[in-house]
Amino acid sequence: MEVLITTRILLAASLLTFAAPAAAQQGAAGEPQLTSQTTRSGGPLDPAQRKLTFHSADLQIEVLPQTRTIQGIATLHFTTTEATSALVVDLDRNLPVSAVSIDGKVLKSGSWSNPEGRLSIALGRTVAKGRKLTAKISYGGMPHVAVRAPWDGGFVWSTTADGQPFIATAVQMEGCDLFWPCIDFPTYEPKFVDLHITVPRGLKAPSNGAFRGVRTLKDGRTTWNWHAKQPTLYGIALNVGPYEELSATYRSRFGNDIPLHYWYLPGPGMEAKARKLFAEFAPTLDFFESMIGPYPFGDEKLGVVETPHKGMEHQTINAYGNHYAKTVWGFDDLFQHEFAHEWFANQLTVGNWDDFWLHEGTGSYMQPLYGQWRRGDATYIAMLLQSRAGIRSQSAIVAGKPQSAEDVYEAKGGRGGDIYTKGSWTLHTLRGLIGDKAFFDVLRLAVYGRTDPRPGNFKPLFRTTPEFISFVKQVTGTDYQWFFDVYLYEAALPALVRKHEGGMLSLEWKTPRNKPFPMPVDVLIDGKRTRLAMTGGRGSVAAPANAHVVVDPQSKILMQSNDIDAFQAYRAEQSGRQ
């Protein structure tokens, strides 16, 4: 990277002199505590927030490892959709606001309040509908420290083996307001975010979007500048460390050049490991572009950064903390999963967290699909079967009503895990039902809004489960609502009741609340394959009393299994004894 020597850029004087309380400077996990408002991401909007369109943000953030604090100035641009006299954004109250200006006019102290993590700014006038509104907010303090990132979000303050700062953020569950003022709701993505991240001498700050240069300040600190287009709100991330960088340019099958970057921690043997992971970037990218469509952010970068936490789909700067683990499948499944989210989370973003499975179920399905692409059908089925015992089916994965991320992921009943495994298996079953061409056309419609995506002919989209279901009907010409009613909107899996007597094999689907489920079933009778249409949920075929019968021999259908139920009960019993 080219280093640009410039004059020092000063943050607000009040922020530069901020000092965290001595007792708090340890930055213990889970501290400072969060309000319930800040903990929820995607919860109900304030009425004043509904009167705004969020256009863009300019974020100047200095990271101070010694005190485990941050100092920031956020310049936010809005357009009013209704007349309003207040500007309401979300910001953790642990980051006190020291100054606010609206459209360049400095507001008096007392013009804003933030008792619970929802910052309310009195404009002092009524701003008419359709007017542009710019807020400049100076804030700073000790951000919340993650207990177990990325599942419990916040800052991760760590150090390298030689004692240098190694810092990351992961805020999917709690949201963007953990370190910058935003409207913490999925559909309030800005058109772009400019980031200016200032870090101590010798450290680097890779972040979202396209690199716009690094400035070296007089005292040796550096400010790293990035421009990200329409980023997911939780996808904005800070990463700070003494990174080394691997880079290359990839010519895609669509003819465009995509920058590839990996930032990793140096150390004995680390470059060799980093290069092996970096070698996976191009074939993985080719898989996604072959099976789904163009990489959505090719004019910015494919970026990955090593982090002290496991991983997260931070747009164009995916977090990677898998320690270069090996799998029997021949690829790094965590890297592949997080990269899948560039399509299924960052390009296709849910409009409501109730549809979380569209991110995680589809993202999880991409691992066995990649296994099939690399090594064939046996690997595909083996990877799916490996995950099957993880499906709990204790609650529906879609509630059909607005939810926060916490509602979905942390609610009792196993929904959080099932959005991955049950979501993946639902897609596998759908693919077998409607066929490959229709299945992948549905995915492309969901991701790009069209079945013929090319670089430059699509934009990021928000999607819901009903929209996904409608795409299946649009592509196939058949209403498959019955399929999704059972798999997504009910907890229990469909059960296949079998009766083999009188020279006949009879099958009948049993579903929660007796919902229709005409799922065709393949059976092997003494090695001969027959497909039963299961019209009305029932089907039968001649089968001698001594015939060897195998139902669903290729494991095409997600259904209740006595074997898996017994295994899960055994594991629960063993866990209780430990």
Side-chain angles (χ1 to χ4, degrees):
M1 295 179 184
E2 182 179 359
V3 178
L4 304 176
I5 306 298
T6 67
T7 57
R8 178 173 179 174
I9 298 179
L10 296 177
L11 297 177
S14 59
L15 293 179
L16 287 173
T17 58
F18 178 89
Q25 290 185 17
Q26 297 303 312
E31 298 295 334
Q33 293 185 2
L34 301 176
T35 66
S36 60
Q37 168 61 42
T38 301
T39 299
R40 289 194 304 271
S41 181
L45 290 164
D46 185 280
Q49 292 176 324
R50 296 182 181 275
K51 300 178 180 180
L52 299 170
T53 297
F54 186 15
H55 279 303
S56 64
D58 185 288
L59 305 178
Q60 299 179 49
I61 300 174
E62 181 164 13
V63 180
L64 302 165
Q66 288 190 334
T67 56
R68 295 193 171 186
T69 59
I70 63 171
Q71 304 167 355
I73 299 175
T75 304
L76 312 177
H77 300 276
F78 303 92
T79 297
T80 58
T81 57
E82 297 180 40
T84 185
S85 59
L87 175 66
V88 178
V89 296
D90 300 306
L91 179 65
D92 182 7
R93 69 179 183 181
N94 293 306
L95 303 174
V97 172
S98 58
V100 175
S101 66
I102 299 294
D103 295 334
K105 181 181 178 181
V106 177
L107 300 187
K108 294 180 180 179
S109 179
S111 298
W112 63 87
S113 63
N114 189 17
E116 296 298 324
R118 182 153 271 173
L119 174 64
S120 181
I121 302 168
L123 300 177
R125 59 189 173 92
T126 298
V127 178
K129 176 182 177 180
R131 298 293 180 85
K132 296 188 181 303
L133 188 65
T134 298
K136 187 175 184 179
I137 302 168
S138 300
Y139 64 99
M142 174 170 286
H144 179 75
V145 178
V147 175
R148 190 173 64 105
W151 300 279
D152 294 296
F155 269 66
V156 182
W157 303 93
S158 184
T159 55
T160 63
D162 59 355
Q164 296 189 73
F166 183 31
I167 302 159
T169 59
V171 300
Q172 183 178 45
M173 291 298 104
E174 294 78 6
C176 46
D177 50 331
L178 283 193
F179 69 97
W180 61 283
C182 59
I183 298 179
D184 186 16
F185 195 85
T187 57
Y188 276 76
E189 288 181 3
K191 291 182 179 179
F192 65 87
V193 172
D194 287 313
L195 294 125
H196 315 280
I197 306 164
T198 301
V199 297
R201 181 196 299 268
L203 301 181
K204 297 178 181 178
S207 193
N208 310 87
F211 181 60
R212 291 293 175 85
V214 57
R215 294 169 174 167
T216 300
L217 310 183
K218 290 182 179 179
D219 61 2
R221 292 178 299 150
T222 51
T223 299
W224 298 75
N225 304 297
W226 302 88
H227 178 79
K229 292 185 290 187
Q230 203 166 331
T232 52
L233 290 165
Y234 73 89
I236 295 292
L238 303 180
N239 305 281
V240 180
Y243 292 113
E244 297 292 339
E245 180 184 355
L246 297 174
S247 63
T249 299
Y250 173 80
R251 173 57 63 93
S252 88
R253 60 177 50 241
F254 294 97
N256 59 318
D257 290 334
I258 301 173
L260 310 181
H261 296 273
Y262 178 43
W263 288 270
Y264 68 96
L265 290 185
M270 289 299 102
E271 181 179 352
K273 292 182 178 181
R275 288 192 178 278
K276 288 182 180 179
L277 179 64
F278 191 60
E280 293 190 31
F281 285 22
T284 308
L285 179 52
D286 188 44
F287 156 75
F288 279 105
E289 294 204 319
S290 299
M291 300 299 291
I292 310 301
Y295 177 57
F297 311 103
D299 58 345
E300 295 181 276
K301 68 177 183 301
L302 187 174
V304 179
V305 61
E306 189 173 356
T307 57
H309 62 86
K310 190 75 170 177
M312 179 56 68
E313 63 269 19
H314 298 145
Q315 190 165 311
T316 72
I317 190 68
N318 284 326
Y320 174 84
N322 205 31
H323 304 294
Y324 306 104
K326 301 299 180 186
T327 69
V328 69
W329 315 119
F331 63 92
D332 192 308
D333 54 358
L334 184 130
F335 158 71
Q336 207 272 0
H337 178 82
E338 302 304 346
F339 187 43
H341 283 311
E342 297 286 20
W343 284 262
F344 308 103
N346 298 332
Q347 168 62 26
L348 175 164
T349 305
V350 296
N352 183 293
W353 285 114
D354 189 42
D355 304 305
F356 212 156
W357 80 278
L358 288 172
H359 287 192
E360 298 298 354
T362 318
S364 296
Y365 183 63
M366 292 300 110
Q367 285 82 75
L369 190 63
Y370 187 43
Q372 184 180 39
W373 189 77
R374 294 181 76 249
R375 291 168 48 176
D377 293 348
T379 296
Y380 171 74
I381 293 299
M383 293 181 73
L384 281 163
L385 291 175
Q386 184 184 59
S387 69
R388 174 61 181 87
I391 298 175
R392 297 299 174 184
S393 298
Q394 295 175 350
S395 60
I397 61 176
V398 179
K401 59 183 180 181
Q403 305 275 282
S404 70
E406 186 181 43
D407 291 335
V408 177
Y409 209 93
E410 298 180 5
K412 294 180 180 179
R415 180 181 177 188
D418 277 2
I419 63 175
Y420 293 80
T421 49
K422 189 177 180 182
S424 174
W425 264 85
T426 296
L427 291 168
H428 163 65
T429 306
L430 177 65
R431 181 186 174 192
L433 178 64
I434 67 176
D436 276 13
K437 183 181 186 308
F439 177 77
F440 288 105
D441 278 350
V442 168
L443 288 189
R444 292 185 191 101
L445 279 176
V447 171
Y448 302 104
R450 58 195 305 161
T451 58
D452 62 342
R454 294 290 184 272
N457 73 358
F458 59 86
K459 294 181 179 179
L461 300 167
F462 297 103
R463 292 300 191 208
T464 66
T465 297
E467 283 180 305
F468 186 88
I469 296 170
S470 73
F471 293 143
V472 176
K473 183 177 181 180
Q474 176 182 333
V475 169
T476 64
T478 302
D479 188 351
Y480 285 103
Q481 186 67 45
W482 58 267
F483 176 93
F484 297 100
D485 281 347
V486 170
Y487 281 124
L488 300 184
Y489 293 100
E490 293 290 346
L493 294 174
L496 190 59
V497 179
R498 312 172 193 187
K499 184 183 293 185
H500 189 186
E501 60 185 20
M504 295 294 293
L505 172 69
S506 299
L507 303 177
E508 181 179 2
W509 285 112
K510 294 294 185 181
T511 60
R513 293 185 282 181
N514 294 317
K515 287 187 172 182
F517 195 70
M519 172 68 73
V521 179
D522 288 341
V523 295
L524 281 180
I525 301 173
D526 287 335
K528 182 180 179 180
R529 184 184 306 274
T530 299
R531 166 158 283 208
L532 301 184
M534 301 298 288
T535 303
R538 296 180 178 86
S540 60
V541 63
N546 62 349
H548 178 64
V549 175
V550 180
V551 176
D552 187 29
Q554 292 181 308
S555 298
K556 290 183 177 180
I557 303 172
L558 174 60
M559 67 177 87
Q560 181 270 338
S561 165
N562 291 336
D563 294 338
I564 290 176
D565 290 349
F567 173 75
Q568 290 178 340
Y570 163 76
R571 291 295 297 269
E573 180 183 358
Q574 295 299 307
S575 178
R577 290 177 177 177
Q578 293 177 356

